[in-house]
Amino acid sequence: MLVTEKNILKLLLILMIGFSNMVFSQEFYPMNIRHLFTDEEMEGTNHKIAILNEDYLSKKRFQKINDSLYVQPDSKEIVFLSTLKNQKTNRLTVNYLTTSNLDAFKKRLQDKEFKLEKVNENLYQMKFKDVNNQFLIDKDSLVGNTKFHHLKFILTYDKETQFGSSTNKYNFPKSKIYPFQNTIWYFTVDYSESTSYPDESEMKIKLTKEKTANKIEFTDDVHYTITYTDTSNKTKICKGTYDNGSSIGFDYDFEGHEKTIKNKNGTSTKISEMRPLPPSYNSPAELNQAKNTLPYFQFIFSRSYDVIYNSENDINLIGIIHSGYPMTEAPPSLPPAKKKK
């Protein structure tokens, strides 16, 4: 079946016959949409630009209809992919149909940190010389008696473009990481010295659904909030941002303040406080002394981790820490591209 909007809506009407009236919420937000497609390991696809990423969509229980169409029977959501090639450019469009209110999605598009240009009320973009990333809130579609909101992510790029994560085999690497937004986890931390390398330690964060003293909530596709009990038995929070692709990277919020300095001529100037380096602990023993303090969590959540799934309710985040070298990896937005050499 040809993947067109008309055919998609017809198919959706058929599928809805078996849908139940379950409580649901919007599954994907702007930063997640980057992971909904891939051109990695595309076999037997007749040289398509990309296909939908089954590894990612299946984590949210989307059911595959074909390489370009997935449906979530519980949430009534649908994702389909269309592509267009001409002599100079490729265009890839991820269509996302949802019945959820779009206020949260639109609010994310307007976040200053996302750095999108507002073209009009329904179109936002990040444009570079050879690449244009666009988010379009299209017209609603009525299927049966149900109104679906139609969101589009449109990636248009020069055929010679190589993205930051490109290799000789693919432009869009396959993300296998769970879409974390709108989920709450409890976690424990294990920081141990390497038995093989004296200047390395391993940090392991175990995410679980079983309650522990520390809780992390992924409030949307970028932000997280940690709730913990400090040394004086008071409830405190630590906030920050995250990005997941082939791994998951964390950064913590820094609330800088302005300070006033006096100039030699007697005038005063207000300057913003510079962000300091993240805390550094060179051994598990040093880190343990800072347990249940804000620097403790800032140290842990200022780096990237590999993700290992033990089960739906049990995930390990594993990272290597080099002594004396604190590392902060701020979650990136959509990066500029570069020409293939």
Side-chain angles (χ1 to χ4, degrees):
M1 181 177 68
L2 181 64
V3 179
T4 64
E5 289 188 22
K6 186 176 180 180
N7 285 336
I8 290 295
L9 295 175
K10 285 182 179 179
L11 178 60
L12 186 56
L13 180 58
I14 295 171
L15 291 169
M16 280 180 60
I17 295 173
F19 284 162
S20 59
N21 295 320
M22 296 182 65
V23 176
F24 55 88
S25 61
Q26 183 179 323
E27 296 289 4
F28 301 116
Y29 287 83
M31 293 294 277
N32 304 135
I33 291 178
R34 300 172 304 154
H35 306 307
L36 293 181
F37 58 89
T38 180
D39 61 348
E40 185 178 352
E41 300 174 4
M42 289 199 322
E43 297 179 2
T45 55
N46 298 322
H47 305 290
K48 291 181 181 178
I49 299 173
I51 60 175
L52 290 174
N53 183 358
E54 183 173 12
D55 287 350
Y56 196 82
L57 284 161
S58 64
K59 294 286 196 307
K60 284 293 185 181
R61 296 184 176 84
F62 275 73
Q63 296 178 2
K64 179 179 180 179
I65 308 301
N66 57 46
D67 284 341
S68 300
L69 171 62
Y70 283 72
V71 175
Q72 220 291 1
D74 295 336
S75 68
K76 304 181 182 181
E77 296 191 333
I78 187 167
V79 175
F80 68 97
L81 178 69
S82 60
T83 59
L84 180 67
K85 297 187 285 186
N86 60 35
Q87 289 184 341
K88 293 184 178 181
T89 62
N90 291 333
R91 188 173 73 191
L92 187 156
T93 304
V94 179
N95 299 268
Y96 176 37
L97 277 73
T98 178
T99 58
S100 298
N101 185 286
L102 297 184
D103 289 348
F105 193 95
K106 183 171 278 191
K107 185 178 179 181
R108 284 291 301 115
L109 293 178
Q110 296 170 353
D111 271 4
K112 290 182 179 180
E113 63 189 35
F114 208 31
K115 299 178 182 178
L116 289 173
E117 171 196 358
K118 180 180 178 181
V119 180
N120 57 49
E121 287 298 322
N122 296 315
L123 179 62
Y124 297 78
Q125 69 179 13
M126 181 182 290
K127 193 172 184 180
F128 303 101
K129 181 180 179 181
D130 305 307
V131 177
N132 193 9
N133 304 274
Q134 294 178 305
F135 290 92
L136 172 65
I137 301 175
D138 211 343
K139 294 180 180 179
D140 292 340
S141 300
L142 190 66
V143 182
N145 295 320
T146 304
K147 183 169 68 174
F148 283 84
H149 306 302
H150 192 169
L151 307 173
K152 291 183 178 181
F153 170 66
I154 305 165
L155 177 65
T156 306
Y157 59 97
D158 189 284
K159 283 188 173 181
E160 299 301 315
T161 299
Q162 185 177 24
F163 295 84
S165 53
S166 298
T167 71
N168 293 330
K169 294 183 179 180
Y170 56 81
N171 251 330
F172 312 115
K174 182 186 293 185
S175 173
K176 299 181 180 181
I177 293 182
Y178 189 95
F180 282 106
Q181 79 283 335
N182 298 332
T183 62
I184 295 175
W185 301 81
Y186 296 89
F187 67 92
T188 56
V189 175
D190 180 23
Y191 185 33
S192 57
E193 293 179 348
S194 170
T195 56
S196 303
Y197 302 97
D199 62 339
E200 287 185 359
S201 298
E202 181 182 80
M203 180 72 74
K204 180 189 291 185
I205 304 171
K206 182 180 179 180
L207 301 180
T208 177
K209 293 299 183 179
E210 297 181 7
K211 287 189 176 182
T212 68
N214 303 319
K215 180 176 73 173
I216 181 168
E217 179 178 3
F218 295 92
T219 53
D220 56 35
D221 55 328
V222 170
H223 301 94
Y224 71 85
T225 299
I226 290 169
T227 305
Y228 65 96
T229 302
D230 71 4
T231 53
S232 60
N233 208 30
K234 293 181 179 179
T235 300
K236 296 291 183 67
I237 63 171
C238 171
K239 293 186 176 183
T241 52
Y242 75 100
D243 179 61
N244 57 268
S246 57
S247 60
I248 182 167
F250 292 95
D251 191 19
Y252 59 87
D253 288 347
F254 169 67
E255 297 182 3
H257 301 283
E258 286 188 341
K259 61 181 181 180
T260 302
I261 59 172
K262 290 186 177 181
N263 302 316
K264 291 181 178 180
N265 60 6
T267 62
S268 298
T269 304
K270 287 186 177 181
I271 60 172
S272 297
E273 184 181 355
M274 295 291 291
R275 179 192 174 99
L277 287 172
S280 178
Y281 302 99
N282 292 325
S283 70
E286 282 187 23
L287 180 63
N288 193 54
Q289 291 178 355
K291 195 171 183 178
N292 298 334
T293 66
L294 182 60
Y296 172 85
F297 291 102
Q298 289 177 337
F299 175 79
I300 295 168
F301 290 92
S302 61
R303 61 198 71 251
S304 291
Y305 295 90
D306 293 328
V307 180
I308 298 175
Y309 294 95
N310 299 320
S311 69
E312 246 183 35
N313 297 322
D314 188 354
I315 300 173
N316 284 332
L317 311 181
I318 299 177
I320 300 298
I321 298 174
H322 298 273
S323 297
Y325 295 93
M327 177 182 65
T328 300
E329 296 191 14
S333 56
L334 300 170
K338 56 185 178 182
K339 285 285 190 177
K340 291 181 179 177
K341 295 181 179 179

